[in-house]
Amino acid sequence: MPRWLPRAVVLVLALVACFQLGSWAFHQLTGLLVNILIAFFLALAIEPAVARMAARGMRRGLATFLVSLAVFVAAAGFLVLLGSILAGQIVDIVEGFPGTLDSVISWINTTFHTDLSRLDIQDSLLHSDWLQKYVQNSASGVLDVSTTVLGGLFKLLTIGLFAFYFAADGPRLRRALCSVLPPAKQAEVLRAWEIAVAKTGGYLYSRGLMALISGIAHYVVFVFLDVPYAPALAVWVGLVSQFIPTIGTYLAGALPMLIAFTVDPWYAVYVLGFVVVYQQFENYVLQPKLTARTVDIHPAVAFGSVIAGTALLGAVGALIAIPAVATLQSFLGAYVKRYEVTDPEPVRTAPRTRRVRWPGAR
C-alpha cells in the first residue's frame, strides 16, 4: 500500500464529514438567514431617511428608532383597516345567515315539494357526529395556532432587531467589512452598498408615493359610489397594486368589486372600469415620471424577478426581488461598457449602363 493512500482516505472522509456538517447547519439556519436578509433590505430601505435625520444633528440610534416606529405604525394601521373589513363581513354573514337559510329551505320545499324545517336541520347538525369531531379537532388545534402566532411574533422581533442594528450601526458595519479587504476592493464594496441603498430606498419611495396617489383616487370613487369600508379598501388597493407588479392592480381591485357587488351589481362594473382606466394612466403617465430617477426596470423583468423570488424564498422573495434586481442592474451597468449601435449601410448597386445602338449596327 502506498504511504499516501491512508492519508488521502482520511482527508476524503474528513472533507465529506465537513460537507455533511455544513449542509446540516445551513438547513438548520435557513430561517435565520432569511430573516437576516429581510432585515438587511429593510435597513437599506430606511437608510436614506435615517442618514438625512443624522445629517441634521440627530443621533443615529434615535433617528433609526423614529423611522422604525413610523414604519411599524403604518403597518399596524394597514392590518387594523384590513381586519375591520374581514370582521365586518363576518358579522354581516353571521347576522344574515338565518334569513339566507330560510330562503334556501323555502326554495327547496317549493321546488322539490318537501317539508323541511330550519329547526329540524339545526337540531340534526348539532347532534351529528362529524360536528362533534370537528369541534374536538379545532380544540386540539388551538395549541398549534398559538405556537404559530408566537413563532411569527418571534420572527418579527428578530427581523426588527437586526434591521435596527443594520441601520443604526450602518457606517460602523461598513467599516468592519471593509477592514478585512484590500483598498481596491473596499471601493467596490462601498459602491455596491451605496447603489443598494439608493435603489432600495428609491423603489420604496416611488412605490409608496404611487400607493398614496392610487389610494386617494380609489377612495374618491368608493365614496362617490357609497361602497362600504371605503378607507380600508383604498389602503388595500394602494398597497397591493404597487408592491405586486403588473397584475397587482387587478388583484387589489377584486376585493372592492366584491364589496361593491353586495351594494349594487352595476357598482362592481363601475369599479372594474375605473381600475382598468387608472391602470393605463399609471402605466403611461404616472409611473414613468416617478420611477425615471429611482428604479427603471422593464415590466417583464420586474414580473419575472417576482416569480423567481417567489420560487426561491416565497413571499419574502417576492418583496425583495425588484430592489435586488434593480441593484444588480445598476451595479452591472456601472461596469459593463456599452457601445452605440450603428445602422447598417445600404447596399449600393452598380448603375445600369445603357446600350447605345449605332446606325447600321445589328
Side-chain angles (χ1 to χ4, degrees):
M1 180 183 299
R3 294 181 179 180
W4 55 267
L5 185 58
R7 188 178 302 174
V9 172
V10 173
L11 180 60
V12 170
L13 293 177
L15 291 177
V16 172
C18 291
F19 175 78
Q20 294 292 337
L21 180 61
S23 177
W24 172 81
F26 178 78
H27 285 88
Q28 294 295 323
L29 297 177
T30 300
L32 178 61
L33 295 177
V34 171
N35 293 337
I36 293 176
L37 182 62
I38 300 173
F40 178 71
F41 273 94
L42 182 59
L44 292 180
I46 65 176
E47 173 69 23
V50 173
R52 185 174 301 178
M53 296 172 68
R56 296 182 178 180
M58 185 180 295
R59 294 181 57 185
R60 193 173 180 88
L62 179 59
T64 305
F65 173 76
L66 294 178
V67 175
S68 302
L69 181 62
V71 173
F72 174 77
V73 170
F78 171 70
L79 293 178
V80 169
L81 290 176
L82 184 60
S84 65
I85 296 178
L86 297 177
Q89 291 300 310
I90 291 174
V91 170
D92 293 340
I93 292 174
V94 171
E95 292 179 351
F97 181 76
T100 304
L101 184 60
D102 289 336
S103 62
V104 171
I105 292 174
S106 177
W107 178 82
I108 293 175
N109 292 333
T110 304
T111 305
F112 299 100
H113 304 288
T114 57
D115 191 14
L116 298 177
S117 173
R118 178 160 62 90
L119 297 177
D120 296 337
I121 294 176
Q122 290 178 353
D123 185 68
S124 61
L125 287 176
L126 291 176
H127 293 86
S128 60
D129 295 335
W130 69 269
L131 182 61
Q132 295 178 359
K133 292 180 180 179
Y134 178 77
V135 172
Q136 293 176 358
N137 294 331
S138 300
S140 62
V142 171
L143 182 60
D144 297 335
V145 173
S146 302
T147 304
T148 303
V149 171
L150 292 177
L153 292 177
F154 180 75
K155 288 182 179 180
L156 291 178
L157 180 60
T158 303
I159 293 172
L161 289 177
F162 274 107
F164 182 84
Y165 168 72
F166 288 150
D169 290 342
R172 187 184 306 174
L173 179 62
R174 288 192 290 268
R175 287 195 299 268
L177 293 176
C178 292
S179 62
V180 298
L181 298 175
K185 299 297 182 180
Q186 292 179 8
E188 303 297 333
V189 172
L190 292 177
R191 181 177 180 83
W193 195 294
E194 292 177 359
I195 291 175
V197 170
K199 291 302 177 180
T200 306
Y203 168 74
L204 292 180
Y205 167 75
S206 59
R207 289 294 172 178
L209 186 57
M210 286 192 295
L212 179 62
I213 298 174
S214 176
I216 294 175
H218 286 84
Y219 174 75
V220 173
V221 174
F222 296 154
V223 171
F224 178 77
L225 295 177
D226 199 16
V227 178
Y229 314 105
L233 291 176
V235 175
W236 165 264
V237 172
L239 293 179
V240 175
S241 63
Q242 299 307 319
F243 290 96
I244 300 180
T246 307
I247 61 173
T249 302
Y250 304 104
L251 292 178
L255 182 59
M257 287 176 56
L258 293 176
I259 303 299
F261 186 83
T262 60
V263 179
D264 190 342
W266 281 105
Y267 287 179
V269 178
Y270 298 154
V271 171
L272 176 61
F274 180 77
V275 167
V276 174
V277 172
Y278 184 82
Q279 174 71 9
Q280 305 306 316
F281 168 76
E282 182 181 280
N283 289 338
Y284 295 102
V285 179
L286 188 61
Q287 184 172 354
K289 293 183 178 180
L290 293 179
T291 61
R293 298 182 180 180
T294 54
V295 179
D296 188 10
I297 302 179
H298 194 274
V301 177
F303 186 66
S305 63
V306 170
I307 294 178
T310 304
L312 293 175
L313 298 175
V316 176
L319 291 176
I320 67 177
I322 294 181
V325 171
T327 302
L328 181 61
Q329 177 179 330
S330 299
F331 188 74
L332 293 178
Y335 294 96
V336 176
K337 188 176 181 180
R338 297 181 180 272
Y339 300 92
E340 183 180 357
V341 179
T342 58
D343 296 331
E345 296 183 358
V347 180
R348 297 181 180 179
T349 58
R352 299 180 61 182
T353 58
R354 186 177 181 182
R355 188 177 180 182
V356 180
R357 299 180 59 88
W358 296 96
R362 294 181 180 179

Coordinates of all heavy atoms in Angstrom, one line a residue, residues 29-95:
L29 N -30.1 26.7 9.8 CA -30.1 28.1 9.9 C -30.7 28.8 8.7 O -30.6 30.1 8.6 CB -28.6 28.6 10.0 CG -27.9 28.1 11.3 CD1 -26.4 28.5 11.2 CD2 -28.5 28.5 12.5
T30 N -31.5 28.1 7.9 CA -32.1 28.8 6.7 C -33.1 29.9 7.2 O -33.1 31.0 6.6 CB -32.8 27.7 5.9 OG1 -31.8 26.8 5.4 CG2 -33.5 28.4 4.7
G31 N -33.9 29.6 8.2 CA -34.9 30.6 8.7 C -34.2 31.8 9.2 O -34.6 32.9 8.9
L32 N -33.1 31.6 10.0 CA -32.4 32.8 10.5 C -31.7 33.6 9.4 O -31.8 34.8 9.4 CB -31.3 32.3 11.5 CG -30.4 33.4 12.1 CD1 -31.3 34.4 12.9 CD2 -29.3 32.8 13.0
L33 N -31.2 32.9 8.4 CA -30.6 33.6 7.2 C -31.6 34.4 6.4 O -31.3 35.5 6.0 CB -29.8 32.6 6.3 CG -28.6 31.9 7.0 CD1 -28.1 30.9 6.0 CD2 -27.6 32.9 7.4
V34 N -32.8 33.9 6.3 CA -33.8 34.6 5.6 C -34.3 35.8 6.3 O -34.5 36.9 5.8 CB -35.0 33.6 5.3 CG1 -36.2 34.4 4.7 CG2 -34.6 32.6 4.3
N35 N -34.4 35.7 7.7 CA -34.7 36.8 8.5 C -33.7 37.9 8.4 O -34.0 39.1 8.4 CB -34.9 36.3 9.9 CG -36.1 35.5 10.1 OD1 -37.1 35.5 9.3 ND2 -36.1 34.6 11.2
I36 N -32.4 37.5 8.4 CA -31.3 38.5 8.3 C -31.4 39.2 6.9 O -31.2 40.4 6.8 CB -30.0 37.8 8.5 CG1 -29.9 37.4 10.0 CG2 -28.8 38.8 8.2 CD1 -28.6 36.6 10.3
L37 N -31.7 38.4 5.9 CA -31.8 39.0 4.5 C -33.0 40.1 4.5 O -32.8 41.2 4.0 CB -32.1 37.9 3.5 CG -32.2 38.4 2.0 CD1 -30.9 39.0 1.6 CD2 -32.5 37.2 1.2
I38 N -34.1 39.7 5.1 CA -35.2 40.7 5.2 C -34.8 41.9 6.0 O -35.1 43.0 5.6 CB -36.5 40.0 5.8 CG1 -36.9 38.8 5.0 CG2 -37.6 41.0 5.9 CD1 -38.0 38.0 5.6
A39 N -34.2 41.7 7.1 CA -33.7 42.8 7.9 C -32.7 43.7 7.2 O -32.8 44.9 7.3 CB -33.1 42.3 9.2
F40 N -31.9 43.1 6.4 CA -30.9 43.9 5.6 C -31.6 44.8 4.6 O -31.2 46.0 4.5 CB -29.9 42.9 4.9 CG -28.9 43.6 4.1 CD1 -27.9 44.4 4.7 CD2 -28.9 43.6 2.7 CE1 -26.9 45.0 3.9 CE2 -28.0 44.2 1.9 CZ -27.0 44.9 2.5
F41 N -32.5 44.3 3.8 CA -33.2 45.1 2.9 C -34.1 46.1 3.5 O -34.3 47.2 3.0 CB -34.1 44.2 1.9 CG -33.3 43.7 0.8 CD1 -32.7 42.5 0.8 CD2 -33.2 44.4 -0.4 CE1 -32.0 42.0 -0.3 CE2 -32.5 44.0 -1.5 CZ -31.8 42.7 -1.4
L42 N -34.7 45.8 4.7 CA -35.5 46.8 5.4 C -34.6 47.9 5.9 O -35.0 49.1 5.9 CB -36.2 46.1 6.6 CG -37.1 47.0 7.5 CD1 -38.2 47.6 6.6 CD2 -37.7 46.2 8.6
A43 N -33.4 47.6 6.4 CA -32.4 48.6 6.8 C -32.0 49.5 5.6 O -31.8 50.7 5.8 CB -31.2 47.9 7.5
L44 N -31.8 48.8 4.5 CA -31.5 49.6 3.3 C -32.6 50.6 2.9 O -32.4 51.7 2.4 CB -31.2 48.7 2.1 CG -29.9 47.9 2.2 CD1 -29.8 47.0 0.9 CD2 -28.7 48.7 2.3
A45 N -33.8 50.1 3.1 CA -35.0 51.0 2.8 C -35.1 52.2 3.6 O -35.5 53.3 3.2 CB -36.3 50.1 2.9
I46 N -34.8 52.1 4.9 CA -34.9 53.2 5.8 C -33.6 54.0 6.0 O -33.6 55.0 6.7 CB -35.4 52.8 7.2 CG1 -34.4 51.9 7.9 CG2 -36.7 52.0 7.1 CD1 -34.7 51.4 9.3
E47 N -32.6 53.5 5.3 CA -31.3 54.2 5.4 C -31.3 55.6 4.9 O -30.7 56.5 5.6 CB -30.2 53.4 4.7 CG -28.8 54.0 4.5 CD -28.1 54.1 5.9 OE1 -28.4 53.3 6.8 OE2 -27.2 54.9 6.0
P48 N -31.9 56.0 3.8 CA -31.9 57.4 3.4 C -32.6 58.3 4.4 O -32.0 59.4 4.6 CB -32.7 57.3 2.1 CG -32.6 55.9 1.5 CD -32.5 55.1 2.8
A49 N -33.7 57.9 5.0 CA -34.3 58.7 6.0 C -33.5 58.9 7.2 O -33.4 60.0 7.8 CB -35.7 58.2 6.3
V50 N -32.9 57.8 7.6 CA -32.0 57.8 8.8 C -30.8 58.7 8.6 O -30.4 59.5 9.4 CB -31.6 56.4 9.2 CG1 -30.6 56.4 10.4 CG2 -32.8 55.6 9.7
A51 N -30.2 58.5 7.4 CA -29.0 59.4 7.1 C -29.3 60.8 7.0 O -28.6 61.7 7.5 CB -28.4 58.9 5.8
R52 N -30.5 61.2 6.5 CA -30.9 62.6 6.4 C -31.2 63.2 7.8 O -30.8 64.3 8.1 CB -32.2 62.7 5.5 CG -32.6 64.1 5.3 CD -33.8 64.1 4.3 NE -33.4 63.5 3.0 CZ -34.2 63.3 2.0 NH1 -35.5 63.7 2.1 NH2 -33.8 62.8 0.9
M53 N -31.8 62.4 8.7 CA -32.0 62.9 10.0 C -30.7 63.0 10.8 O -30.5 63.9 11.6 CB -33.0 62.0 10.7 CG -34.4 62.0 10.1 SD -35.5 60.7 10.8 CE -35.7 61.4 12.5
A54 N -29.8 62.0 10.6 CA -28.5 62.1 11.3 C -27.6 63.3 10.8 O -26.9 63.8 11.5 CB -27.7 60.8 11.1
A55 N -27.8 63.6 9.5 CA -27.0 64.7 8.9 C -27.5 66.1 9.6 O -26.7 67.0 9.6 CB -27.2 64.8 7.4
R56 N -28.7 66.1 10.1 CA -29.2 67.3 10.7 C -28.8 67.4 12.2 O -29.3 68.3 12.9 CB -30.7 67.5 10.5 CG -31.1 67.6 9.1 CD -32.6 67.8 8.9 NE -33.0 68.0 7.5 CZ -34.2 68.1 7.1 NH1 -35.2 68.1 8.0 NH2 -34.5 68.3 5.9
G57 N -28.0 66.5 12.7 CA -27.6 66.6 14.1 C -28.2 65.6 15.0 O -27.8 65.5 16.2
M58 N -29.2 64.8 14.6 CA -29.8 63.8 15.5 C -29.0 62.6 15.6 O -28.3 62.2 14.6 CB -31.2 63.5 14.9 CG -32.0 62.5 15.8 SD -33.6 62.1 15.1 CE -34.4 63.8 15.1
R59 N -29.0 62.0 16.7 CA -28.2 60.7 16.9 C -28.8 59.7 16.0 O -30.0 59.5 15.9 CB -28.3 60.3 18.4 CG -27.6 61.3 19.4 CD -27.7 60.7 20.8 NE -27.1 59.4 20.9 CZ -27.1 58.6 22.0 NH1 -27.7 59.1 23.1 NH2 -26.6 57.4 22.0
R60 N -27.9 58.9 15.5 CA -28.3 57.9 14.5 C -29.2 56.8 15.1 O -30.2 56.3 14.5 CB -27.1 57.2 13.9 CG -27.4 56.4 12.7 CD -26.1 55.9 12.0 NE -26.5 55.1 10.8 CZ -26.7 55.6 9.6 NH1 -26.5 56.9 9.4 NH2 -27.0 54.8 8.6
G61 N -29.0 56.4 16.4 CA -29.9 55.5 17.0 C -31.3 56.0 17.2 O -32.2 55.3 17.0
L62 N -31.4 57.3 17.6 CA -32.7 57.9 17.8 C -33.4 58.0 16.5 O -34.6 57.8 16.4 CB -32.6 59.2 18.5 CG -33.9 60.0 18.7 CD1 -34.8 59.2 19.6 CD2 -33.6 61.4 19.4
A63 N -32.7 58.4 15.4 CA -33.3 58.5 14.1 C -33.8 57.2 13.6 O -34.9 57.1 13.0 CB -32.3 59.1 13.1
T64 N -33.0 56.1 13.8 CA -33.5 54.8 13.4 C -34.7 54.4 14.2 O -35.6 53.8 13.6 CB -32.3 53.8 13.7 OG1 -31.2 54.2 13.0 CG2 -32.7 52.4 13.1
F65 N -34.8 54.7 15.5 CA -35.9 54.4 16.3 C -37.2 55.1 15.8 O -38.3 54.5 15.7 CB -35.7 54.7 17.7 CG -36.9 54.5 18.6 CD1 -37.3 53.3 19.0 CD2 -37.6 55.7 19.0 CE1 -38.4 53.1 19.8 CE2 -38.7 55.5 19.8 CZ -39.1 54.2 20.2
L66 N -37.1 56.4 15.5 CA -38.2 57.1 15.0 C -38.7 56.6 13.6 O -39.9 56.5 13.4 CB -37.9 58.6 14.9 CG -37.6 59.3 16.2 CD1 -37.2 60.8 16.0 CD2 -38.8 59.2 17.2
V67 N -37.8 56.3 12.7 CA -38.2 55.8 11.4 C -38.8 54.4 11.5 O -39.9 54.1 10.9 CB -37.0 55.8 10.5 CG1 -37.4 55.2 9.1 CG2 -36.5 57.2 10.2
S68 N -38.2 53.6 12.4 CA -38.8 52.3 12.6 C -40.2 52.3 13.2 O -41.1 51.5 12.9 CB -37.9 51.4 13.5 OG -36.6 51.3 12.9
L69 N -40.4 53.3 14.1 CA -41.7 53.5 14.8 C -42.7 53.9 13.7 O -43.9 53.4 13.8 CB -41.6 54.5 15.9 CG -42.9 54.8 16.7 CD1 -43.3 53.5 17.4 CD2 -42.7 55.9 17.7
A70 N -42.3 54.8 12.8 CA -43.3 55.2 11.8 C -43.7 54.0 10.9 O -44.8 53.9 10.5 CB -42.6 56.3 11.0
V71 N -42.7 53.2 10.5 CA -43.0 52.0 9.7 C -43.9 51.1 10.4 O -44.9 50.5 9.8 CB -41.7 51.3 9.3 CG1 -42.0 50.0 8.5 CG2 -40.9 52.3 8.4
F72 N -43.7 50.9 11.7 CA -44.5 50.0 12.5 C -45.9 50.5 12.6 O -46.9 49.7 12.5 CB -43.9 49.8 13.9 CG -44.7 49.0 14.8 CD1 -44.8 47.6 14.7 CD2 -45.5 49.6 15.8 CE1 -45.6 46.8 15.5 CE2 -46.3 48.8 16.7 CZ -46.3 47.4 16.5
V73 N -46.1 51.8 12.8 CA -47.4 52.3 13.0 C -48.2 52.2 11.6 O -49.4 51.9 11.6 CB -47.3 53.8 13.4 CG1 -48.7 54.5 13.3 CG2 -46.8 53.9 14.8
A74 N -47.5 52.5 10.5 CA -48.1 52.3 9.2 C -48.6 50.9 8.9 O -49.7 50.6 8.5 CB -47.2 52.8 8.1
A75 N -47.7 49.9 9.3 CA -48.0 48.5 9.0 C -49.2 48.1 9.9 O -50.1 47.4 9.5 CB -46.8 47.6 9.3
A76 N -49.2 48.5 11.2 CA -50.2 48.2 12.1 C -51.6 48.8 11.7 O -52.6 48.2 11.8 CB -49.9 48.6 13.6
G77 N -51.5 50.0 11.2 CA -52.7 50.7 10.7 C -53.3 49.9 9.5 O -54.6 49.8 9.4
F78 N -52.5 49.5 8.6 CA -53.0 48.7 7.5 C -53.6 47.4 7.9 O -54.7 47.0 7.4 CB -51.8 48.4 6.5 CG -52.2 47.5 5.4 CD1 -53.0 47.8 4.4 CD2 -51.6 46.2 5.4 CE1 -53.4 46.9 3.4 CE2 -52.0 45.3 4.4 CZ -52.8 45.7 3.4
L79 N -53.0 46.7 8.9 CA -53.6 45.5 9.4 C -54.9 45.7 10.1 O -55.8 44.9 10.0 CB -52.6 44.8 10.3 CG -51.3 44.2 9.6 CD1 -50.4 43.6 10.6 CD2 -51.6 43.2 8.5
V80 N -55.0 46.8 10.8 CA -56.2 47.1 11.5 C -57.4 47.4 10.5 O -58.5 46.9 10.7 CB -56.0 48.3 12.5 CG1 -57.4 48.8 13.0 CG2 -55.1 47.9 13.7
L81 N -57.0 48.2 9.5 CA -58.0 48.5 8.5 C -58.5 47.2 7.7 O -59.7 47.0 7.5 CB -57.5 49.5 7.5 CG -57.3 50.9 8.0 CD1 -56.6 51.8 6.9 CD2 -58.6 51.6 8.5
L82 N -57.5 46.4 7.4 CA -57.9 45.1 6.7 C -58.7 44.2 7.6 O -59.7 43.6 7.2 CB -56.6 44.4 6.3 CG -56.8 43.2 5.4 CD1 -57.6 43.4 4.2 CD2 -55.5 42.5 5.1
G83 N -58.4 44.2 8.9 CA -59.1 43.4 9.9 C -60.5 43.9 10.1 O -61.5 43.1 10.3
S84 N -60.7 45.2 10.0 CA -62.1 45.8 10.1 C -63.0 45.3 8.9 O -64.1 45.0 9.1 CB -62.0 47.3 10.1 OG -61.5 47.8 8.9
I85 N -62.4 45.2 7.7 CA -63.1 44.7 6.6 C -63.6 43.2 6.9 O -64.8 42.9 6.7 CB -62.3 44.8 5.3 CG1 -62.0 46.2 4.9 CG2 -63.1 44.1 4.1 CD1 -61.1 46.4 3.7
L86 N -62.6 42.4 7.2 CA -62.9 41.0 7.5 C -63.9 40.8 8.6 O -64.9 40.0 8.5 CB -61.7 40.2 7.8 CG -60.6 40.2 6.7 CD1 -59.4 39.5 7.1 CD2 -61.2 39.5 5.4
A87 N -63.7 41.6 9.7 CA -64.7 41.5 10.8 C -66.1 41.9 10.4 O -67.1 41.3 10.8 CB -64.1 42.3 12.0
G88 N -66.2 43.0 9.7 CA -67.5 43.5 9.3 C -68.2 42.5 8.4 O -69.4 42.3 8.5
Q89 N -67.4 41.9 7.4 CA -68.1 40.9 6.5 C -68.5 39.7 7.3 O -69.5 39.1 7.0 CB -67.1 40.6 5.4 CG -66.8 41.7 4.5 CD -68.1 42.1 3.8 OE1 -68.8 41.3 3.2 NE2 -68.3 43.4 3.8
I90 N -67.7 39.2 8.3 CA -68.1 38.1 9.1 C -69.3 38.3 9.9 O -70.2 37.5 10.0 CB -66.9 37.6 10.0 CG1 -65.7 37.1 9.1 CG2 -67.3 36.6 11.0 CD1 -64.5 36.8 9.9
V91 N -69.4 39.5 10.5 CA -70.6 39.9 11.2 C -71.8 39.9 10.3 O -72.9 39.4 10.7 CB -70.4 41.2 11.9 CG1 -71.7 41.7 12.5 CG2 -69.4 41.1 13.0
D92 N -71.7 40.5 9.1 CA -72.8 40.5 8.2 C -73.3 39.1 7.8 O -74.5 38.9 7.7 CB -72.5 41.4 7.0 CG -72.2 42.8 7.3 OD1 -72.7 43.3 8.4 OD2 -71.6 43.5 6.5
I93 N -72.3 38.3 7.5 CA -72.6 36.9 7.1 C -73.3 36.2 8.3 O -74.3 35.5 8.0 CB -71.4 36.1 6.7 CG1 -70.8 36.7 5.4 CG2 -71.6 34.7 6.5 CD1 -69.5 36.2 5.0
V94 N -72.8 36.3 9.5 CA -73.5 35.6 10.6 C -74.9 36.2 10.9 O -75.8 35.4 11.1 CB -72.6 35.8 11.9 CG1 -73.3 35.3 13.1 CG2 -71.3 35.0 11.7
E95 N -75.1 37.5 10.8 CA -76.4 38.1 11.0 C -77.4 37.7 9.9 O -78.6 37.5 10.2 CB -76.3 39.6 11.1 CG -75.6 40.1 12.4 CD -75.5 41.6 12.5 OE1 -75.8 42.2 11.4 OE2 -75.0 42.1 13.5

